[in-house]
Amino acid sequence: MDTKPWRERVRVEEELLERLQEQTAAAAKRRAAALAEGVDELGSVYAVAKDLGKGWTTVAQAIKKHGPAAPDPTTTP
């Protein structure tokens, strides 16, 4: 059985973890955008949470943590 050296295996796994973390972050942003769209449509975080069967704090925190950044007031005309 031809096994790669442990250093090579560690490097490969670290690269995989990095790619997975990037994909997870991108998915969290897309999810937050979809949740925010739901809030626009249904009118409240609570309504979205109820529709999805989740707690309202879960929805609110996802939007706050991963949603679009607020505009910088120092650069907004």
Side-chain angles (χ1 to χ4, degrees):
M1 182 167 165
D2 188 28
T3 306
K4 292 181 181 179
W6 67 270
R7 286 182 180 89
E8 176 67 16
R9 294 192 322 260
V10 169
R11 186 189 62 75
V12 168
E13 294 305 327
E14 286 176 345
E15 289 173 0
L16 176 59
L17 285 171
E18 185 176 327
R19 287 194 309 269
L20 291 171
Q21 288 170 346
E22 290 169 359
Q23 290 177 358
T24 299
K29 286 182 181 185
R30 292 191 303 269
R31 177 177 175 253
L35 290 169
E37 187 177 323
V39 170
D40 290 342
E41 180 182 314
L42 299 179
S44 71
V45 169
Y46 176 78
V48 171
K50 185 176 178 183
D51 188 75
L52 296 174
K54 298 190 178 293
W56 72 269
T57 55
T58 301
V59 174
Q61 288 174 355
I63 293 170
K64 182 178 180 180
K65 184 174 181 180
H66 301 289
D72 184 355
T74 61
T75 60
T76 305

